[in-house]
Amino acid sequence: MATNTDVLCGICDSQHITKSANQWCPECDEGLCSGCQTYHSFSKATRNHEVISIENYLKLPSAILKIATYCNEHNLKYQNFCPQHDKICCSVCISEYHNNCCGLKSLQEITRTSKESAWLENIEENLKDMRYNYDNIKKDREKNLATVENRRKQFHEEIKQIREKINSHLDLLEQQIIEELNAVEQKVQSSFVTLISQITEKTKTIETLQSNISAVKEYASDLQIFLGSKSLEAEVEREKKYLESLFKDGSLGKNKIKCDISEKISGILTTITAFGSVSIEISQPSIILKTDKENQAQILSAVPHHSSNSFDDIRISLKSELPFPSNKSFNVCNGLRGFTISKSETIKVLSDNKGQLGIINTKGTFDLIKKCSSSCNSVAFIDDSTIAASVNNTIEIINIVSKLTDRVIPIHGDCVGIWYYNGKLLCNVLKKGIQEVSLSDGNMTDLVIQQNLFNYPYITVHEDKIYQTSSGGFVKCYTTKGEMIWENKLTAQTRGIAVDKRGNVFVTLHERNYIALISPDGQSSRQLKINNIKNAWGLHYNLLTNSLSVACLNGGILFCDILCND
């Protein structure tokens, strides 16, 4: 490992003078001794460079230290980032390779907020989640192993009690069945020991990555953070794939010893040739993997078993409230259009009729992602860092970390209401109906023709069914092939829509102070009152916590629990 004395002052070294550096300039990519640091801090070209001590520089991960800030091909400093090729480039690179590329960004512009962006936070949260997953898997395996051992002891005791009641002819059969039990337990134990050993190693890997993240956040330059995040994100993705593979390949199935004692044991001297049979019964895991971040729910928890609830018993209880920004950063009054929350429930995105698209933070402040050219009618998460936004007869795919538009998909009409589903976007297009847009090639398919689709129709998907609000207070349910299943007519103009895990449909009603609830078959409806509701507009349902988030005009976001009498 490098020490302080191994890093030389770059300026002195160029003059064939050997001096140890005590400071490091990430922008110059070289060390500085105390004397050169003084000149460096006063020089017009470098006075604004942020330097760090050599001690802190050496704490950065080796992968970050190896990141070059100068183009190897042209020996010029990197100045721009090309989102089209996902590459950084110098001025010569632009003229040679990126002359026709659109959307080139200044590195200074996109790296100045790297340390404050959600990118590193997301990676860090993923690492915390995986560490927590591994810890819970170890506990579950250890508990399951203890259960297997207890079951083995129970069967062993049962076998011994039966053995004592019959003659010595059972000695051999008793020995056979005990050996089978021990062999099965050993098989389970061996597999568990191997798995726990692997998990222990993975935990160490996670700890290393966590340490690297902490060092990057504290000591790396903005450019190093921007470039290093990609490398760290790739390592995290590999660890996530391994974690997910444990749930797919049956490694976490619940092991249970089965031992069936023959009913004819009393006739063993003449008819029974075996004491019984031993096998392993593997049922569904008693833990579930949660790959997204969840602040208010456990990452791994026991699988809940709910009894069915009556449609008439469902009610909503207000839990907390998040006010909209009080300044003019977001058009609150009658301006709210799009509302969505990430799968991890940590990022809440709003859009308004002035084209402002951004994230509302827990303190009620508004972090602008983009100012669109016209009203941003609807937004939907594709993943925790990518959203789709409908703007001026187009759908923009936007990375909310870099705040850059990855691509623009033209839509032949005004889109109000988007939902991401299995690699596709389902869109409510006014005067046309429901259209399906493939994200892989941009191809568009008409699912439902609705020339009378007006106002503010919104859309969602639950268990391969499409749910849509439309003008006139209609709520409709279709198959994913566009075949209507049911239709319900409400007495007010509808807006946002969400569906809970049982198929109950929640709909906001314009200028009303309640939520409409529709039964899974679409035949019954009733009204649900929420305290403090102020003209509800957007809806979001959280499957894990069985809760509802309601975005209201002239108010904020209400976080509500859905309650039922079991």
Side-chain angles (χ1 to χ4, degrees):
M1 183 176 181
T3 62
N4 295 9
T5 56
D6 294 330
V7 182
L8 301 178
C9 173
I11 297 175
C12 292
D13 188 51
S14 65
Q15 302 174 71
H16 306 292
I17 301 172
T18 301
K19 268 192 178 183
S20 296
N22 52 22
Q23 299 287 328
W24 180 268
C25 178
E27 294 193 51
C28 296
D29 196 26
E30 64 181 359
L32 300 167
C33 65
S34 56
C36 292
Q37 161 59 14
T38 301
Y39 290 110
H40 180 274
S41 63
F42 286 107
S43 173
K44 184 176 182 180
T46 59
R47 67 178 59 159
N48 294 322
H49 290 190
E50 293 185 10
V51 299
I52 61 174
S53 68
I54 291 298
E55 289 83 358
N56 291 339
Y57 167 73
L58 294 175
K59 291 177 182 177
L60 290 170
S62 58
I64 299 297
L65 295 178
K66 292 177 182 177
I67 294 175
T69 57
Y70 282 79
C71 175
N72 292 331
E73 185 176 352
H74 305 114
N75 197 29
L76 293 173
K77 190 171 183 178
Y78 288 125
Q79 295 178 334
N80 294 87
F81 172 73
C82 175
Q84 189 170 333
H85 294 94
D86 195 26
K87 286 185 177 180
I88 53 175
C89 39
C90 67
S91 56
V92 179
C93 288
I94 294 174
S95 62
E96 290 185 358
Y97 307 118
H98 306 277
N99 203 26
N100 296 321
C101 294
C102 298
L104 288 174
K105 296 289 183 180
S106 164
L107 273 182
Q108 183 179 7
E109 175 187 347
I110 63 176
T111 61
R112 64 187 177 187
T113 58
S114 292
K115 196 167 285 188
E116 290 77 24
S117 73
W119 206 338
L120 281 177
E121 236 177 76
N122 288 341
I123 296 175
E124 193 169 26
E125 286 300 319
N126 278 330
L127 291 171
K128 288 181 182 178
D129 289 350
M130 285 192 289
R131 171 63 185 270
Y132 194 69
N133 275 320
Y134 284 133
D135 289 343
N136 278 272
I137 289 171
K138 286 174 65 176
K139 292 176 183 177
D140 179 78
R141 296 297 83 188
E142 290 165 355
K143 184 178 179 180
N144 193 182
L145 185 58
T147 302
V148 168
E149 183 180 4
N150 290 334
R151 293 283 287 172
R152 190 267 304 167
K153 291 178 179 178
Q154 292 173 9
F155 286 125
H156 194 171
E157 185 62 28
E158 183 180 347
I159 293 165
K160 289 178 67 177
Q161 290 175 1
I162 295 174
R163 177 65 183 84
E164 291 171 357
K165 296 178 182 179
I166 56 181
N167 59 40
S168 61
H169 183 71
L170 295 178
D171 287 345
L172 177 61
L173 298 181
E174 180 191 32
Q175 184 61 33
Q176 289 176 347
I177 194 69
I178 291 175
E179 289 177 356
E180 286 184 43
L181 282 169
N182 290 336
V184 168
E185 183 193 15
Q186 182 60 40
K187 182 178 179 180
V188 174
Q189 187 177 40
S190 177
S191 65
F192 280 15
V193 169
T194 300
L195 179 58
I196 291 174
S197 175
Q198 293 173 352
I199 290 173
T200 300
E201 290 300 313
K202 289 293 182 181
T203 301
K204 293 179 181 178
T205 302
I206 297 302
E207 290 174 344
T208 300
L209 288 173
Q210 288 176 313
S211 176
N212 289 348
I213 284 290
S214 297
V216 168
K217 290 177 69 176
E218 189 169 358
Y219 308 117
S221 68
D222 289 343
L223 178 57
Q224 289 172 327
I225 289 175
F226 174 74
L227 300 175
S229 293
K230 294 179 177 292
S231 173
L232 292 169
E233 191 174 40
E235 293 184 63
V236 171
E237 190 60 32
R238 285 195 296 272
E239 295 301 319
K240 287 177 69 175
K241 287 181 179 178
Y242 171 80
L243 177 58
E244 292 168 351
S245 71
L246 297 181
F247 287 82
K248 294 179 181 179
D249 62 14
S251 298
L252 303 182
K254 191 171 182 179
N255 290 265
K256 181 180 179 182
I257 293 179
K258 291 186 66 178
C259 184
D260 299 321
I261 307 300
S262 174
E263 294 179 354
K264 298 182 179 180
I265 193 68
S266 58
I268 193 169
L269 291 175
T270 56
T271 60
I272 305 301
T273 59
F275 208 102
S277 63
V278 176
S279 61
I280 300 175
E281 183 182 83
I282 300 179
S283 61
Q284 290 295 321
S286 60
I287 53 176
I288 57 174
L289 172 66
K290 182 177 178 299
T291 57
D292 294 308
K293 300 176 290 299
E294 175 61 46
N295 293 333
Q296 297 177 355
Q298 290 185 346
I299 302 300
L300 291 170
S301 60
V303 179
H305 299 282
H306 298 283
S307 58
S308 60
N309 295 281
S310 168
F311 171 76
D312 294 329
D313 292 333
I314 296 174
R315 53 195 174 87
I316 300 178
S317 174
L318 179 62
K319 182 170 55 177
S320 61
E321 211 172 333
L322 177 62
F324 284 152
S326 57
N327 55 27
K328 296 182 179 179
S329 62
F330 182 73
N331 187 21
V332 178
C333 185
N334 298 318
L336 175 65
R337 290 295 177 265
F339 170 62
T340 188
I341 300 179
S342 63
K343 291 180 180 179
S344 64
E345 298 289 316
T346 58
I347 306 174
K348 302 165 183 66
V349 174
L350 302 171
S351 66
D352 65 14
N353 60 0
K354 300 297 184 182
Q356 295 182 110
L357 172 66
I359 297 171
I360 183 170
N361 300 303
T362 54
K363 295 182 179 179
T365 56
F366 187 72
D367 180 17
L368 185 68
I369 297 174
K370 182 174 183 177
K371 178 67 170 69
C372 303
S373 58
S374 62
S375 176
C376 184
N377 291 324
S378 189
V379 287
F381 269 98
I382 296 174
D383 55 48
D384 264 6
S385 61
T386 310
I387 60 172
S390 62
V391 182
N392 195 23
N393 294 349
T394 64
I395 293 179
E396 296 190 19
I397 309 301
I398 303 170
N399 186 304
I400 62 175
V401 178
S402 63
K403 299 184 179 181
L404 300 176
T405 298
D406 292 338
R407 57 191 291 210
V408 177
I409 303 173
I411 301 294
H412 303 300
D414 195 2
C415 176
V416 180
I418 310 178
W419 191 265
Y420 174 74
Y421 173 74
N422 285 351
K424 301 174 182 178
L425 291 173
L426 295 177
C427 309
N428 277 333
V429 181
L430 300 187
K431 301 180 183 180
K432 293 183 180 293
I434 302 176
Q435 296 183 342
E436 182 182 81
V437 181
S438 172
L439 287 179
S440 60
D441 54 20
N443 286 341
M444 190 176 304
T445 305
D446 289 324
L447 283 184
V448 182
I449 303 298
Q450 297 169 307
Q451 295 181 349
N452 61 343
L453 189 63
F454 296 103
N455 296 334
Y456 299 98
Y458 288 91
I459 194 168
T460 189
V461 176
H462 172 70
E463 292 187 350
D464 295 329
K465 294 185 182 69
I466 301 171
Y467 298 82
Q468 177 200 44
T469 60
S470 61
S471 57
F474 286 97
V475 180
K476 302 177 182 181
C477 177
Y478 298 91
T479 68
T480 51
K481 294 182 179 180
E483 301 164 347
M484 181 178 284
I485 301 174
W486 56 256
E487 177 182 297
N488 192 299
K489 174 70 166 64
L490 300 175
T491 58
Q493 291 292 325
T494 56
R495 291 294 184 263
I497 185 169
V499 184
D500 71 9
K501 55 191 173 186
R502 296 181 178 87
N504 297 301
V505 183
F506 298 83
V507 181
T508 57
L509 303 178
H510 187 46
E511 297 182 344
R512 301 293 180 91
N513 293 329
Y514 55 81
I515 302 290
L517 174 65
I518 302 175
S519 61
D521 60 5
Q523 301 306 305
S524 303
S525 65
R526 47 188 286 259
Q527 300 174 7
L528 299 175
K529 180 70 176 178
I530 307 177
N531 293 333
N532 299 342
I533 195 169
K534 297 177 182 178
N535 198 354
W537 187 280
L539 278 181
H540 173 81
Y541 173 72
N542 184 344
L543 176 66
L544 287 177
T545 60
N546 193 34
S547 59
L548 204 64
S549 301
V550 188
C552 304
L553 297 180
N554 307 322
I557 302 175
L558 308 180
F559 301 99
C560 309
D561 289 325
I562 299 175
L563 306 177
C564 303
N565 295 324
D566 291 334

